[in-house]
Amino acid sequence: MTGTLAVLIATHNRVGLLERTLRYLNEARRPTGWKIEILVAANACTDRTHSMLDRYVRSGAGVAVPENRLPLRWVAEPRAGKSHALNCAIPLLASDRTAFVDDDHRVDAGYFEGACRAATDYPDADILCGRILPDWDGSEPVWVHDEGPYRIYPLPVPRYDLGPKPIRSPQDRVTPGGGNLVLRTALFARVGDFSTAYGPVGRGLGGAEDHEWVLRAIAAGAVIQYVPDIVQFHYVDQTRLRLRYLLQKAYERSASAVRLMGTGGRRVLVPPYMIRKAAEYGFAAMTAPDEQQRRFYLVRLAAALGEIKGHARANLDGNAGTDS
């Protein structure tokens, strides 16, 4: 099978990581018969992202193989917010398939081969989802690899890994996010744009714009296939492994997740169980006998407080409607 594939990247003021992502995309092996291009949505960028992209288009500067570089188009979206960036790029897509790659990911050398082969092997799949693995290099703190009762979850370095075997309808186990999807481009016409009520704005830690879109795709009848051979690695920013960031991330992402679930039609300001859970985690953190347990309970407390925020936002959404 042959076809066309567009790699869609939304980026905000991370030109160094974006250059790294482009380099690995160019180094990945390319399957015969497939036409591949890159489309970058530069979101409210004030660093040198625009000039770097212009240099890439003109001369291939910053990539490993400029003489055979992947063609690239880019668009500037001045409204801050990842959803705005993605939405401004969607009308520009003309390929059979669209692959999502974050600007802090590196693709595996066999990424394109895996994605294009999967499009052939699973022709009825509207969405192919692959693995996202932390790009550990040995410099990370030991506690990130804990598997015991006090392991930190979810880690601030995204991970999506359902094992080495293909799985039909992986959303029955874990709904995939948008970090490593390859979807039929025509699906946008059925599902629509990304909701601007969700997702990060600038350096904010909000999220769920991808989960919300995938849930709408499922509701529209999209067929999803997990393909372990489609692999991306998420850059490990050491600052994300500090306690302050762990707490901020747990708070904001829990708020986004609970807001997305909604209130189920109930108009309870704050469910008593949420208050009780936050109090229990707070007490456990204050009385923890060691650093490992204290870190665990503080992160759980932040997540519990985020759930309260998310429920309050869901109440507001129910009263006023959600922008989508």
Side-chain angles (χ1 to χ4, degrees):
M1 177 179 175
T2 60
T4 55
L5 175 70
V7 177
L8 177 55
I9 305 171
T11 187
H12 170 72
N13 282 356
R14 294 204 286 200
V15 65
L17 286 174
L18 177 60
E19 287 179 305
R20 176 179 181 268
T21 298
L22 294 175
R23 175 165 58 85
Y24 280 106
L25 284 167
N26 276 278
E27 290 177 352
R29 297 185 296 271
R30 305 174 198 177
T32 302
W34 280 81
K35 183 179 179 181
I36 302 171
E37 71 163 351
I38 302 170
L39 176 60
V40 177
N43 183 218
C45 292
T46 56
D47 62 358
R48 57 184 183 87
T49 293
H50 292 186
S51 59
M52 184 277 288
L53 292 171
D54 277 338
R55 287 199 312 275
Y56 180 107
V57 172
R58 291 196 308 267
S59 64
V63 300
V65 283
E67 71 282 358
N68 189 32
R69 66 188 184 276
L70 290 166
L72 182 147
R73 294 181 292 143
W74 69 277
V75 60
E77 170 51 68
R79 293 172 296 174
K82 185 177 181 180
S83 292
H84 286 305
L86 294 172
N87 292 342
C88 84
I90 289 172
L92 304 178
L93 294 167
S95 55
D96 302 322
R97 298 270 178 169
T98 298
F100 288 86
V101 175
D102 283 354
D103 64 357
D104 55 357
H105 283 197
R106 71 170 175 91
V107 298
D108 179 74
Y111 171 77
F112 288 128
E113 292 174 334
C116 296
R117 182 169 57 247
T120 302
D121 293 345
Y122 307 101
D124 63 331
D126 300 294
I127 299 176
L128 305 165
C129 66
R131 289 188 289 169
I132 301 174
L133 305 174
D135 206 0
W136 304 125
D137 63 5
S139 64
E140 66 275 2
V142 175
W143 61 260
V144 301
H145 300 295
D146 286 347
E147 293 294 340
Y150 301 110
R151 68 181 178 88
I152 300 299
Y153 68 89
L155 283 172
V157 183
R159 183 184 191 117
Y160 188 85
D161 184 7
L162 300 183
K165 296 182 179 180
I167 300 173
R168 192 70 156 184
S169 301
Q171 68 272 19
D172 294 341
R173 294 170 58 177
V174 181
T175 301
N180 189 6
L181 299 181
V182 180
L183 54 89
R184 202 183 307 279
T185 303
L187 192 59
F188 285 118
R190 290 164 51 192
V191 181
D193 287 350
F194 288 83
S195 170
T196 56
Y198 297 94
V201 176
R203 282 287 171 264
L205 299 178
E209 82 291 337
D210 48 359
H211 282 90
E212 193 274 343
W213 192 91
V214 170
L215 289 174
R216 278 192 282 128
I218 293 170
V223 175
I224 304 182
Q225 176 70 43
Y226 169 71
V227 184
D229 293 339
I230 305 175
V231 182
Q232 296 184 33
F233 297 90
H234 195 290
Y235 174 73
V236 177
D237 183 346
Q238 295 295 330
T239 62
R240 294 189 176 196
L241 303 178
R242 297 171 184 168
L243 181 59
R244 182 177 179 178
Y245 187 93
L246 293 176
L247 300 179
Q248 292 173 331
K249 185 83 166 186
Y251 177 76
E252 293 295 348
R253 288 305 171 100
S254 293
S256 295
V258 170
R259 181 187 180 191
L260 181 57
M261 290 189 296
T263 64
R266 295 170 294 174
R267 288 294 180 265
V268 179
L269 183 60
V270 180
Y273 80 89
M274 288 187 177
I275 298 175
R276 184 169 59 251
K277 182 163 60 171
E280 290 172 352
Y281 284 138
F283 179 77
M286 288 188 296
T287 58
D290 57 46
E291 181 180 358
Q292 181 191 37
Q293 292 187 37
R294 186 177 303 108
R295 179 172 53 237
F296 171 81
Y297 286 119
L298 284 173
V299 173
R300 289 297 91 214
L301 172 61
L305 293 174
E307 290 177 3
I308 293 173
K309 174 186 176 181
H311 184 85
R313 291 298 303 274
N315 270 327
L316 292 175
D317 291 342
N319 291 332
T322 300
D323 178 20
S324 61

